[in-house]
mmCIF file of all heavy atoms in Angstrom:
data_model
loop_
_atom_site.group_PDB
_atom_site.id
_atom_site.type_symbol
_atom_site.label_atom_id
_atom_site.label_comp_id
_atom_site.label_asym_id
_atom_site.label_seq_id
_atom_site.Cartn_x
_atom_site.Cartn_y
_atom_site.Cartn_z
ATOM 1 N N GLY A 1 5.249 -14.755 -2.612
ATOM 2 C CA GLY A 1 5.486 -14.868 -4.066
ATOM 3 C C GLY A 1 4.260 -14.385 -4.861
ATOM 4 O O GLY A 1 3.346 -13.719 -4.332
ATOM 5 N N LEU A 2 4.236 -14.691 -6.116
ATOM 6 C CA LEU A 2 3.156 -14.449 -7.070
ATOM 7 C C LEU A 2 2.365 -15.650 -7.305
ATOM 8 O O LEU A 2 2.776 -16.718 -7.563
ATOM 9 C CB LEU A 2 3.719 -13.911 -8.328
ATOM 10 C CG LEU A 2 2.785 -13.577 -9.508
ATOM 11 C CD1 LEU A 2 1.825 -12.497 -9.157
ATOM 12 C CD2 LEU A 2 3.515 -13.326 -10.769
ATOM 13 N N VAL A 3 1.038 -15.513 -7.179
ATOM 14 C CA VAL A 3 0.072 -16.604 -7.314
ATOM 15 C C VAL A 3 -1.204 -16.140 -8.002
ATOM 16 O O VAL A 3 -1.541 -14.950 -7.851
ATOM 17 C CB VAL A 3 -0.178 -17.306 -5.958
ATOM 18 C CG1 VAL A 3 -0.965 -16.360 -5.057
ATOM 19 C CG2 VAL A 3 -1.004 -18.559 -6.177
ATOM 20 N N GLN A 4 -1.882 -16.961 -8.841
ATOM 21 C CA GLN A 4 -3.052 -16.552 -9.420
ATOM 22 C C GLN A 4 -4.238 -16.636 -8.399
ATOM 23 O O GLN A 4 -4.201 -17.392 -7.427
ATOM 24 C CB GLN A 4 -3.353 -17.455 -10.632
ATOM 25 C CG GLN A 4 -2.423 -17.306 -11.754
ATOM 26 C CD GLN A 4 -2.871 -18.106 -12.984
ATOM 27 O OE1 GLN A 4 -4.031 -18.541 -13.138
ATOM 28 N NE2 GLN A 4 -1.919 -18.440 -13.851
ATOM 29 N N ALA A 5 -5.275 -15.926 -8.683
ATOM 30 C CA ALA A 5 -6.474 -15.947 -7.808
ATOM 31 C C ALA A 5 -6.961 -17.356 -7.725
ATOM 32 O O ALA A 5 -7.019 -18.086 -8.772
ATOM 33 C CB ALA A 5 -7.535 -15.040 -8.381
ATOM 34 N N GLY A 6 -7.335 -17.815 -6.551
ATOM 35 C CA GLY A 6 -7.765 -19.147 -6.298
ATOM 36 C C GLY A 6 -6.667 -20.032 -5.883
ATOM 37 O O GLY A 6 -6.934 -21.168 -5.397
ATOM 38 N N GLY A 7 -5.402 -19.609 -5.986
ATOM 39 C CA GLY A 7 -4.257 -20.454 -5.570
ATOM 40 C C GLY A 7 -3.924 -20.290 -4.102
ATOM 41 O O GLY A 7 -4.717 -19.744 -3.304
ATOM 42 N N SER A 8 -2.882 -20.983 -3.730
ATOM 43 C CA SER A 8 -2.475 -21.037 -2.316
ATOM 44 C C SER A 8 -1.003 -20.753 -2.095
ATOM 45 O O SER A 8 -0.179 -20.931 -3.056
ATOM 46 C CB SER A 8 -2.752 -22.501 -1.801
ATOM 47 O OG SER A 8 -4.144 -22.876 -1.870
ATOM 48 N N LEU A 9 -0.731 -20.263 -0.931
ATOM 49 C CA LEU A 9 0.658 -20.037 -0.504
ATOM 50 C C LEU A 9 0.741 -20.385 0.965
ATOM 51 O O LEU A 9 -0.256 -20.314 1.662
ATOM 52 C CB LEU A 9 1.059 -18.554 -0.714
ATOM 53 C CG LEU A 9 1.442 -18.065 -2.157
ATOM 54 C CD1 LEU A 9 1.642 -16.536 -2.038
ATOM 55 C CD2 LEU A 9 2.646 -18.821 -2.682
ATOM 56 N N ARG A 10 1.920 -20.852 1.385
ATOM 57 C CA ARG A 10 2.181 -20.983 2.791
ATOM 58 C C ARG A 10 3.368 -20.158 3.236
ATOM 59 O O ARG A 10 4.489 -20.312 2.700
ATOM 60 C CB ARG A 10 2.448 -22.471 3.137
ATOM 61 C CG ARG A 10 2.494 -22.695 4.625
ATOM 62 C CD ARG A 10 2.715 -24.139 5.059
ATOM 63 N NE ARG A 10 4.117 -24.559 4.917
ATOM 64 C CZ ARG A 10 4.700 -25.485 5.657
ATOM 65 N NH1 ARG A 10 4.018 -26.129 6.621
ATOM 66 N NH2 ARG A 10 5.952 -25.834 5.495
ATOM 67 N N LEU A 11 3.107 -19.291 4.101
ATOM 68 C CA LEU A 11 4.196 -18.418 4.661
ATOM 69 C C LEU A 11 4.721 -19.029 5.920
ATOM 70 O O LEU A 11 4.042 -19.665 6.689
ATOM 71 C CB LEU A 11 3.665 -17.005 5.043
ATOM 72 C CG LEU A 11 2.945 -16.271 3.899
ATOM 73 C CD1 LEU A 11 2.469 -14.922 4.448
ATOM 74 C CD2 LEU A 11 3.744 -16.164 2.658
ATOM 75 N N SER A 12 6.042 -18.841 6.107
ATOM 76 C CA SER A 12 6.687 -19.316 7.332
ATOM 77 C C SER A 12 7.412 -18.152 7.998
ATOM 78 O O SER A 12 7.888 -17.224 7.400
ATOM 79 C CB SER A 12 7.769 -20.377 6.953
ATOM 80 O OG SER A 12 7.166 -21.524 6.360
ATOM 81 N N CYS A 13 7.497 -18.258 9.321
ATOM 82 C CA CYS A 13 8.210 -17.260 10.094
ATOM 83 C C CYS A 13 8.981 -18.000 11.157
ATOM 84 O O CYS A 13 8.455 -18.662 12.093
ATOM 85 C CB CYS A 13 7.218 -16.268 10.786
ATOM 86 S SG CYS A 13 7.975 -15.143 11.941
ATOM 87 N N ALA A 14 10.297 -17.932 11.035
ATOM 88 C CA ALA A 14 11.190 -18.673 11.934
ATOM 89 C C ALA A 14 11.722 -17.664 12.890
ATOM 90 O O ALA A 14 12.374 -16.670 12.526
ATOM 91 C CB ALA A 14 12.289 -19.380 11.190
ATOM 92 N N ALA A 15 11.653 -17.995 14.184
ATOM 93 C CA ALA A 15 12.230 -17.140 15.285
ATOM 94 C C ALA A 15 13.624 -17.661 15.653
ATOM 95 O O ALA A 15 13.854 -18.913 15.755
ATOM 96 C CB ALA A 15 11.362 -17.083 16.483
ATOM 97 N N SER A 16 14.497 -16.806 15.875
ATOM 98 C CA SER A 16 15.895 -17.215 16.335
ATOM 99 C C SER A 16 16.226 -16.268 17.517
ATOM 100 O O SER A 16 15.730 -15.221 17.703
ATOM 101 C CB SER A 16 16.928 -17.045 15.240
ATOM 102 O OG SER A 16 17.041 -15.721 14.765
ATOM 103 N N GLY A 17 17.232 -16.756 18.319
ATOM 104 C CA GLY A 17 17.763 -15.930 19.396
ATOM 105 C C GLY A 17 17.024 -16.177 20.698
ATOM 106 O O GLY A 17 17.373 -15.461 21.677
ATOM 107 N N THR A 18 16.142 -17.150 20.770
ATOM 108 C CA THR A 18 15.400 -17.369 22.001
ATOM 109 C C THR A 18 14.980 -18.888 22.012
ATOM 110 O O THR A 18 14.556 -19.440 20.987
ATOM 111 C CB THR A 18 14.225 -16.462 22.220
ATOM 112 O OG1 THR A 18 13.604 -16.841 23.460
ATOM 113 C CG2 THR A 18 13.201 -16.656 21.087
ATOM 114 N N ARG A 19 14.932 -19.483 23.217
ATOM 115 C CA ARG A 19 14.305 -20.812 23.410
ATOM 116 C C ARG A 19 13.024 -20.616 24.088
ATOM 117 O O ARG A 19 12.310 -21.678 24.293
ATOM 118 C CB ARG A 19 15.252 -21.668 24.218
ATOM 119 C CG ARG A 19 16.507 -22.114 23.464
ATOM 120 C CD ARG A 19 17.337 -23.032 24.322
ATOM 121 N NE ARG A 19 18.381 -23.653 23.594
ATOM 122 C CZ ARG A 19 18.373 -24.723 22.851
ATOM 123 N NH1 ARG A 19 17.255 -25.431 22.784
ATOM 124 N NH2 ARG A 19 19.476 -25.119 22.154
ATOM 125 N N ILE A 20 12.589 -19.435 24.464
ATOM 126 C CA ILE A 20 11.369 -19.187 25.105
ATOM 127 C C ILE A 20 10.226 -19.079 24.104
ATOM 128 O O ILE A 20 10.288 -18.375 23.126
ATOM 129 C CB ILE A 20 11.463 -17.876 25.981
ATOM 130 C CG1 ILE A 20 12.546 -17.984 26.987
ATOM 131 C CG2 ILE A 20 10.110 -17.643 26.646
ATOM 132 C CD1 ILE A 20 12.816 -16.632 27.633
ATOM 133 N N VAL A 21 9.134 -19.812 24.391
ATOM 134 C CA VAL A 21 7.928 -19.779 23.489
ATOM 135 C C VAL A 21 7.260 -18.412 23.567
ATOM 136 O O VAL A 21 7.051 -17.928 24.735
ATOM 137 C CB VAL A 21 7.018 -20.935 23.917
ATOM 138 C CG1 VAL A 21 5.694 -20.818 23.026
ATOM 139 C CG2 VAL A 21 7.693 -22.254 23.687
ATOM 140 N N PHE A 22 6.943 -17.866 22.473
ATOM 141 C CA PHE A 22 6.138 -16.638 22.451
ATOM 142 C C PHE A 22 4.706 -16.829 22.944
ATOM 143 O O PHE A 22 4.082 -17.897 22.572
ATOM 144 C CB PHE A 22 6.089 -16.062 21.059
ATOM 145 C CG PHE A 22 7.410 -15.460 20.572
ATOM 146 C CD1 PHE A 22 8.205 -16.192 19.708
ATOM 147 C CD2 PHE A 22 7.835 -14.238 21.062
ATOM 148 C CE1 PHE A 22 9.408 -15.674 19.295
ATOM 149 C CE2 PHE A 22 9.051 -13.686 20.621
ATOM 150 C CZ PHE A 22 9.853 -14.384 19.697
ATOM 151 N N SER A 23 4.170 -15.940 23.681
ATOM 152 C CA SER A 23 2.858 -16.063 24.119
ATOM 153 C C SER A 23 1.873 -15.815 22.923
ATOM 154 O O SER A 23 0.835 -16.521 22.863
ATOM 155 C CB SER A 23 2.543 -15.000 25.267
ATOM 156 O OG SER A 23 1.163 -15.035 25.652
ATOM 157 N N PHE A 24 2.193 -14.889 22.069
ATOM 158 C CA PHE A 24 1.355 -14.621 20.909
ATOM 159 C C PHE A 24 2.267 -14.574 19.682
ATOM 160 O O PHE A 24 3.362 -14.010 19.678
ATOM 161 C CB PHE A 24 0.706 -13.267 21.030
ATOM 162 C CG PHE A 24 -0.235 -13.159 22.200
ATOM 163 C CD1 PHE A 24 0.234 -12.611 23.415
ATOM 164 C CD2 PHE A 24 -1.523 -13.518 22.147
ATOM 165 C CE1 PHE A 24 -0.590 -12.522 24.450
ATOM 166 C CE2 PHE A 24 -2.416 -13.421 23.216
ATOM 167 C CZ PHE A 24 -1.911 -12.873 24.411
ATOM 168 N N MET A 25 1.825 -15.219 18.629
ATOM 169 C CA MET A 25 2.437 -15.067 17.342
ATOM 170 C C MET A 25 1.324 -14.755 16.289
ATOM 171 O O MET A 25 0.235 -15.311 16.403
ATOM 172 C CB MET A 25 3.262 -16.245 16.939
ATOM 173 C CG MET A 25 4.393 -16.554 17.819
ATOM 174 S SD MET A 25 5.546 -17.792 17.269
ATOM 175 C CE MET A 25 6.450 -16.840 15.981
ATOM 176 N N GLY A 26 1.632 -13.981 15.307
ATOM 177 C CA GLY A 26 0.562 -13.648 14.349
ATOM 178 C C GLY A 26 1.142 -13.112 13.065
ATOM 179 O O GLY A 26 2.305 -12.934 12.847
ATOM 180 N N TRP A 27 0.225 -12.846 12.133
ATOM 181 C CA TRP A 27 0.542 -12.244 10.902
ATOM 182 C C TRP A 27 -0.279 -11.025 10.609
ATOM 183 O O TRP A 27 -1.476 -10.908 10.954
ATOM 184 C CB TRP A 27 0.251 -13.234 9.751
ATOM 185 C CG TRP A 27 1.194 -14.433 9.754
ATOM 186 C CD1 TRP A 27 1.059 -15.624 10.341
ATOM 187 C CD2 TRP A 27 2.418 -14.517 9.051
ATOM 188 N NE1 TRP A 27 2.046 -16.449 10.166
ATOM 189 C CE2 TRP A 27 2.928 -15.816 9.275
ATOM 190 C CE3 TRP A 27 3.186 -13.640 8.257
ATOM 191 C CZ2 TRP A 27 4.153 -16.251 8.808
ATOM 192 C CZ3 TRP A 27 4.390 -14.091 7.702
ATOM 193 C CH2 TRP A 27 4.833 -15.374 8.025
ATOM 194 N N PHE A 28 0.366 -9.969 10.171
ATOM 195 C CA PHE A 28 -0.265 -8.718 9.714
ATOM 196 C C PHE A 28 0.120 -8.496 8.249
ATOM 197 O O PHE A 28 1.026 -9.090 7.736
ATOM 198 C CB PHE A 28 0.313 -7.576 10.501
ATOM 199 C CG PHE A 28 -0.173 -7.485 11.922
ATOM 200 C CD1 PHE A 28 0.313 -8.381 12.875
ATOM 201 C CD2 PHE A 28 -1.049 -6.488 12.362
ATOM 202 C CE1 PHE A 28 -0.044 -8.343 14.241
ATOM 203 C CE2 PHE A 28 -1.435 -6.402 13.748
ATOM 204 C CZ PHE A 28 -0.929 -7.347 14.640
ATOM 205 N N ARG A 29 -0.684 -7.665 7.607
ATOM 206 C CA ARG A 29 -0.385 -7.340 6.242
ATOM 207 C C ARG A 29 -0.743 -5.892 5.969
ATOM 208 O O ARG A 29 -1.493 -5.250 6.676
ATOM 209 C CB ARG A 29 -1.266 -8.209 5.249
ATOM 210 C CG ARG A 29 -2.786 -7.949 5.257
ATOM 211 C CD ARG A 29 -3.474 -8.899 4.409
ATOM 212 N NE ARG A 29 -4.931 -8.660 4.351
ATOM 213 C CZ ARG A 29 -5.781 -9.447 3.801
ATOM 214 N NH1 ARG A 29 -5.408 -10.614 3.182
ATOM 215 N NH2 ARG A 29 -7.130 -9.167 3.864
ATOM 216 N N GLN A 30 -0.006 -5.322 4.982
ATOM 217 C CA GLN A 30 -0.160 -3.902 4.644
ATOM 218 C C GLN A 30 -0.086 -3.781 3.135
ATOM 219 O O GLN A 30 0.956 -4.110 2.581
ATOM 220 C CB GLN A 30 0.847 -3.066 5.353
ATOM 221 C CG GLN A 30 0.584 -1.545 5.229
ATOM 222 C CD GLN A 30 1.438 -0.767 6.138
ATOM 223 O OE1 GLN A 30 2.436 -1.128 6.637
ATOM 224 N NE2 GLN A 30 0.880 0.460 6.490
ATOM 225 N N ALA A 31 -1.085 -3.304 2.552
ATOM 226 C CA ALA A 31 -1.109 -2.977 1.114
ATOM 227 C C ALA A 31 -0.816 -1.466 0.954
ATOM 228 O O ALA A 31 -1.026 -0.709 1.826
ATOM 229 C CB ALA A 31 -2.408 -3.328 0.553
ATOM 230 N N PRO A 32 -0.271 -1.093 -0.218
ATOM 231 C CA PRO A 32 0.013 0.314 -0.481
ATOM 232 C C PRO A 32 -1.171 1.225 -0.211
ATOM 233 O O PRO A 32 -2.315 0.936 -0.667
ATOM 234 C CB PRO A 32 0.405 0.386 -1.921
ATOM 235 C CG PRO A 32 0.921 -1.053 -2.174
ATOM 236 C CD PRO A 32 0.015 -1.897 -1.349
ATOM 237 N N GLY A 33 -0.966 2.240 0.596
ATOM 238 C CA GLY A 33 -2.024 3.186 0.935
ATOM 239 C C GLY A 33 -3.056 2.653 1.933
ATOM 240 O O GLY A 33 -4.025 3.409 2.225
ATOM 241 N N LYS A 34 -2.841 1.511 2.474
ATOM 242 C CA LYS A 34 -3.731 0.959 3.517
ATOM 243 C C LYS A 34 -3.061 0.840 4.847
ATOM 244 O O LYS A 34 -1.819 0.763 4.941
ATOM 245 C CB LYS A 34 -4.248 -0.364 3.061
ATOM 246 C CG LYS A 34 -4.986 -0.413 1.723
ATOM 247 C CD LYS A 34 -6.255 0.371 1.759
ATOM 248 C CE LYS A 34 -6.995 0.339 0.513
ATOM 249 N NZ LYS A 34 -7.395 -1.064 0.129
ATOM 250 N N GLN A 35 -3.857 0.787 5.891
ATOM 251 C CA GLN A 35 -3.315 0.610 7.261
ATOM 252 C C GLN A 35 -2.968 -0.913 7.462
ATOM 253 O O GLN A 35 -3.554 -1.760 6.797
ATOM 254 C CB GLN A 35 -4.307 1.030 8.283
ATOM 255 C CG GLN A 35 -4.595 2.505 8.358
ATOM 256 C CD GLN A 35 -5.524 2.822 9.427
ATOM 257 O OE1 GLN A 35 -6.241 1.931 10.064
ATOM 258 N NE2 GLN A 35 -5.667 4.135 9.747
ATOM 259 N N ARG A 36 -1.978 -1.128 8.329
ATOM 260 C CA ARG A 36 -1.654 -2.518 8.623
ATOM 261 C C ARG A 36 -2.770 -3.219 9.257
ATOM 262 O O ARG A 36 -3.440 -2.695 10.212
ATOM 263 C CB ARG A 36 -0.381 -2.471 9.457
ATOM 264 C CG ARG A 36 0.234 -3.919 9.693
ATOM 265 C CD ARG A 36 1.555 -3.926 10.308
ATOM 266 N NE ARG A 36 2.591 -3.232 9.410
ATOM 267 C CZ ARG A 36 3.880 -3.193 9.662
ATOM 268 N NH1 ARG A 36 4.388 -3.777 10.776
ATOM 269 N NH2 ARG A 36 4.670 -2.585 8.808
ATOM 270 N N GLU A 37 -3.084 -4.441 8.862
ATOM 271 C CA GLU A 37 -4.203 -5.229 9.267
ATOM 272 C C GLU A 37 -3.792 -6.604 9.814
ATOM 273 O O GLU A 37 -3.025 -7.240 9.242
ATOM 274 C CB GLU A 37 -5.150 -5.414 8.098
ATOM 275 C CG GLU A 37 -6.265 -6.342 8.369
ATOM 276 C CD GLU A 37 -7.064 -6.712 7.029
ATOM 277 O OE1 GLU A 37 -6.469 -6.663 5.966
ATOM 278 O OE2 GLU A 37 -8.231 -7.059 7.159
ATOM 279 N N LYS A 38 -4.319 -6.886 10.982
ATOM 280 C CA LYS A 38 -4.057 -8.281 11.568
ATOM 281 C C LYS A 38 -4.912 -9.252 10.757
ATOM 282 O O LYS A 38 -6.050 -9.091 10.559
ATOM 283 C CB LYS A 38 -4.370 -8.308 13.008
ATOM 284 C CG LYS A 38 -4.060 -9.631 13.665
ATOM 285 C CD LYS A 38 -4.161 -9.580 15.207
ATOM 286 C CE LYS A 38 -5.656 -9.488 15.579
ATOM 287 N NZ LYS A 38 -5.766 -9.497 17.088
ATOM 288 N N VAL A 39 -4.231 -10.320 10.317
ATOM 289 C CA VAL A 39 -4.922 -11.339 9.532
ATOM 290 C C VAL A 39 -5.017 -12.713 10.302
ATOM 291 O O VAL A 39 -5.798 -13.530 9.905
ATOM 292 C CB VAL A 39 -4.270 -11.532 8.197
ATOM 293 C CG1 VAL A 39 -4.415 -10.210 7.356
ATOM 294 C CG2 VAL A 39 -2.817 -11.952 8.268
ATOM 295 N N ALA A 40 -4.183 -12.898 11.363
ATOM 296 C CA ALA A 40 -4.244 -14.155 11.995
ATOM 297 C C ALA A 40 -3.369 -14.034 13.306
ATOM 298 O O ALA A 40 -2.382 -13.364 13.333
ATOM 299 C CB ALA A 40 -3.650 -15.266 11.214
ATOM 300 N N MET A 41 -3.746 -14.753 14.319
ATOM 301 C CA MET A 41 -3.076 -14.804 15.604
ATOM 302 C C MET A 41 -3.251 -16.103 16.232
ATOM 303 O O MET A 41 -4.351 -16.756 16.139
ATOM 304 C CB MET A 41 -3.576 -13.651 16.538
ATOM 305 C CG MET A 41 -2.809 -13.542 17.850
ATOM 306 S SD MET A 41 -3.402 -14.638 19.207
ATOM 307 C CE MET A 41 -5.013 -13.878 19.536
ATOM 308 N N VAL A 42 -2.194 -16.611 16.898
ATOM 309 C CA VAL A 42 -2.302 -17.854 17.686
ATOM 310 C C VAL A 42 -1.578 -17.668 19.040
ATOM 311 O O VAL A 42 -0.446 -17.079 19.059
ATOM 312 C CB VAL A 42 -1.700 -18.991 16.868
ATOM 313 C CG1 VAL A 42 -0.260 -18.837 16.522
ATOM 314 C CG2 VAL A 42 -1.924 -20.341 17.623
ATOM 315 N N THR A 43 -2.150 -18.130 20.104
ATOM 316 C CA THR A 43 -1.577 -18.045 21.325
ATOM 317 C C THR A 43 -0.658 -19.267 21.614
ATOM 318 O O THR A 43 -0.693 -20.241 20.877
ATOM 319 C CB THR A 43 -2.625 -17.940 22.490
ATOM 320 O OG1 THR A 43 -3.304 -19.215 22.608
ATOM 321 C CG2 THR A 43 -3.618 -16.848 22.252
ATOM 322 N N SER A 44 0.082 -19.226 22.633
ATOM 323 C CA SER A 44 0.953 -20.400 23.045
ATOM 324 C C SER A 44 0.068 -21.639 23.312
ATOM 325 O O SER A 44 0.555 -22.733 23.275
ATOM 326 C CB SER A 44 1.802 -20.024 24.221
ATOM 327 O OG SER A 44 1.011 -19.720 25.374
#
């Protein structure tokens, strides 16, 4: 969503179609004209 500088957001990612735990889950971001960048990763 839209937030002012200094504010907070919480993103959620729900997986469906499997009961198996992912070894790695993470978040990437991509701004216009920029390469995709990894911003966070968590292992099982």
